[in-house]
Amino acid sequence: MIEFKNATKQYGQRLVLDNVNLKIQGGEWLWLTGPSGAGKSTLIHALIGAISLTHGSVKVDNYNIGTFNTLAIQEYRRKIGIVFQDYKLLQKKTVYENVAFAMEVCGYGNRQIERLVPAVLLKVGLAQARHHFPYMLSGGERQRVAIARALIHEPRLIIADEPTGNLDAKTAKDIILLLQKLNVEGVTVIVATHNHELLKIVKGRVITLEEGRLTE
C-alpha cells in the first residue's frame, strides 16, 4: 500500500503540493489528472524518491521513502517500474540492449539477461524488433521498449508519467491497454495524464490535482 500523509512541497514561495493525503491499495489502477503545473510530476517524484518533501511523508508498505539513504533509494527503485513521456532510450543500443542494460546496471548475470529479456519483449509485442535501434521504431514501439525496461524487474508497482503524451490516439490506447493487462495480473498502476480521453479506456479511481491540492 502507498500512503501520502500531509505531503507538502514548496519551492521558495511557490506551494507545489499542498497537504496531500492519499492512500493507494495494492493492485489498484489510479488515474492522476490535472492541468500542467498542478503538481502531478512532483507527486510522482516524491513517490520514487527523486525529491524530498518539505513537510509530510510518503510510505510504501509502511516504509518511509523520505528516510532512505542513496543505497536504499537505488534498491527501492529496482522494485518499481517507471515509464516517462520521452522514453529515455539509449539511442546507440538496440531494443534488446536497452532492456538488457537496465539489468546489467543492477548486477544481473548474462544467463539471467538472456532468459528474461526475450520473454519481456514478447510480452510487450516487440520480439521481432529486438535488433532494431530506437530511430527505426515508431513512437508507440519506443514506449513499449520503455515499458519492457520497466517490467524487467517484475515490479509490483508501475508509475507512468504522461506515457502517451507524444503518441496519436490509437497508439495511446494501445499503450494504456498494455498497462491494463499488467494491472489485471496484479500490478499496481499509477498513470499521470492531462488527457481525459484516456480515462474512458480503463476504469479506475480518478484523482485530480489543482494548484497542488487533491480532489477525488
Side-chain angles (χ1 to χ4, degrees):
M1 185 181 76
I2 300 166
E3 181 179 11
F4 290 88
K5 188 172 183 180
N6 302 323
T8 301
K9 182 62 178 179
Q10 190 166 351
Y11 293 102
Q13 298 299 313
R14 185 184 175 210
L15 194 59
V16 183
L17 293 180
D18 187 3
N19 201 43
V20 171
N21 289 282
L22 172 65
K23 289 184 179 180
I24 305 169
Q25 301 296 328
E28 186 174 358
W29 179 289
L30 183 81
W31 291 107
L32 181 60
T33 69
S36 297
K40 302 188 300 297
S41 292
T42 302
L43 196 73
I44 286 174
H45 288 160
L47 177 56
I48 67 175
I51 64 169
S52 299
L53 294 171
T54 306
H55 302 293
S57 63
V58 52
K59 294 182 179 180
V60 178
D61 293 336
N62 290 320
Y63 290 98
N64 189 338
I65 306 304
T67 65
F68 285 1
N69 59 25
T70 301
L71 186 61
I73 284 291
Q74 290 175 347
E75 185 64 27
Y76 163 65
R77 288 179 184 168
R78 291 172 184 170
K79 298 177 181 178
I80 62 178
I82 307 170
V83 181
F84 296 102
Q85 177 178 345
D86 58 355
Y87 321 129
K88 299 189 183 299
L89 302 182
L90 300 170
Q91 298 303 310
K92 295 184 178 181
K93 290 184 180 292
T94 64
V95 168
Y96 181 98
E97 290 168 341
N98 263 278
V99 180
F101 183 73
M103 300 184 70
E104 290 169 6
V105 297
C106 293
Y108 285 83
N110 289 334
R111 287 188 178 181
Q112 290 174 298
I113 292 172
E114 291 168 0
R115 176 173 59 87
L116 293 175
V117 174
V120 77
L121 291 180
L122 182 64
K123 192 168 191 174
V124 300
L126 288 177
Q128 301 303 315
R130 58 182 290 169
H131 298 305
H132 292 181
F133 289 90
Y135 74 88
M136 302 168 66
L137 306 175
S138 67
E141 289 171 329
R142 293 178 189 179
Q143 195 58 288
R144 286 174 181 268
V145 178
I147 293 172
R149 189 176 52 195
L151 288 179
I152 202 65
H153 305 298
E154 300 182 338
R156 294 169 52 203
L157 168 64
I158 291 180
I159 304 164
D161 190 4
E162 298 286 359
T164 64
N166 293 328
L167 307 176
D168 61 73
K170 181 183 182 305
T171 306
K173 180 179 179 179
D174 291 342
I175 292 299
I176 294 300
L177 290 176
L178 176 56
L179 292 173
Q180 183 190 35
K181 289 181 180 179
L182 303 174
N183 179 242
V184 170
E185 294 173 2
V187 178
T188 305
V189 177
I190 301 172
V191 180
T193 183
H194 62 270
N195 184 353
H196 286 263
E197 290 300 311
L198 296 180
L199 276 60
K200 301 175 183 178
I201 300 172
V202 176
K203 291 183 179 180
R205 186 154 59 114
V206 180
I207 297 296
T208 301
L209 275 173
E210 294 184 5
E211 297 181 347
R213 296 181 180 178
L214 183 149
T215 60
E216 183 172 354

